[in-house]
Amino acid sequence: MSTEAEWLTRKSRIDTRLKQKGWQLVRFSPALSLKALDGTAVEELPTANGPADYALFVKGELLGIIEAKKVTVNPQNVLEQAKRYAAGVFDAAGEWNGLRVPFLYASNGTIIWHLDTRTKKLVSRQLSDFNTPEALEARFAHDASAAESYLLDTPPEQIAKLRPYRDGNRIETNPLSPHRDIGITPSAGANASK
């Protein structure tokens, strides 16, 4: 079992991954002009609930918070700490579910958990890596509410090109289901050779 300290995990693992994704890292100082930052991860950003390990700024907007833990800690449950910081930021891009930052991350340098706070139901998921500044900007600009409303308000038989996926003998009727891994049962013809 590794005894790597959290500060070492941050410097050797998380900083490296952020830099590889195009983020510039700077340590917070009161003289720092946050509205001028673009593609910048600010370390130790003060919030009303304590300092956030990393705050991701794109074109002057705070779009993400990363909570870092040492490599031996599973980061999934650490998203709760990122939520506390997101609720306490001083200058926000908006507010979603009581949180003032749209994208939250928790990482131990090897595993990354992510939460999009803009959805009605907050469901975290594991990512293979951090988003680039450009990807984070594009995700923030994308408004899925119109598509969600259309899918919720339109009967499935009236939606052109909607594929009828089967789970057993049941047709999946909710394309907005939070379940991302749906088990697909092969058709009878697929097992004919067995």
Side-chain angles (χ1 to χ4, degrees):
M1 180 182 256
S2 175
T3 57
E4 183 175 281
E6 183 179 315
W7 71 267
L8 187 56
T9 297
R10 287 164 111 187
K11 294 297 153 205
S12 67
R13 297 173 189 265
I14 296 174
D15 286 9
T16 301
R17 290 181 88 154
L18 287 170
K19 288 175 185 175
Q20 288 172 346
K21 288 296 179 180
W23 293 96
Q24 175 188 355
L25 276 75
V26 298
R27 190 149 187 88
F28 176 80
S29 83
L32 191 61
S33 174
L34 300 178
K35 288 292 184 189
L37 299 178
D38 190 21
T40 305
V42 176
E43 297 176 87
E44 300 296 327
L45 180 77
T47 76
N49 300 321
D53 291 336
Y54 299 88
L56 304 177
F57 284 86
V58 178
K59 295 188 177 169
E61 295 282 354
L62 174 54
L63 298 185
I65 286 182
I66 301 172
E67 177 55 28
K69 290 297 175 194
K70 62 184 176 180
V71 75
T72 56
V73 174
N74 183 336
Q76 184 176 13
N77 295 329
V78 179
L79 279 170
E80 291 303 315
Q81 191 171 351
K83 285 181 188 177
R84 282 196 303 276
Y85 297 140
V89 300
F90 296 115
D91 191 12
E95 186 166 325
W96 307 269
N97 297 302
L99 304 172
R100 301 174 51 126
V101 179
F103 306 110
L104 305 181
Y105 304 84
S107 179
N108 63 6
T110 58
I111 300 170
I112 300 168
W113 279 89
H114 169 68
L115 179 67
D116 184 340
T117 67
R118 303 171 304 158
T119 60
K120 290 177 187 170
K121 184 173 182 180
L122 299 179
V123 179
S124 63
R125 63 186 177 105
Q126 194 170 345
L127 297 180
S128 60
D129 213 340
F130 293 111
N131 295 118
T132 64
E134 298 78 18
L136 207 58
E137 179 183 20
R139 289 190 60 214
F140 183 62
H142 177 71
D143 180 13
S145 62
E148 181 178 334
S149 294
Y150 173 76
L151 289 170
L152 288 174
D153 297 339
T154 307
E157 59 275 2
Q158 292 180 10
I159 300 175
K161 298 184 181 181
L162 184 64
R163 298 179 183 178
Y165 290 100
R166 291 190 173 274
D167 183 3
N169 291 324
R170 180 179 57 85
I171 299 291
E172 181 60 53
T173 57
N174 184 358
L176 298 175
S177 171
H179 305 290
R180 295 189 183 272
D181 297 318
I182 298 174
I184 306 297
T185 305
S187 64
N191 289 327
S193 62
K194 291 185 178 179

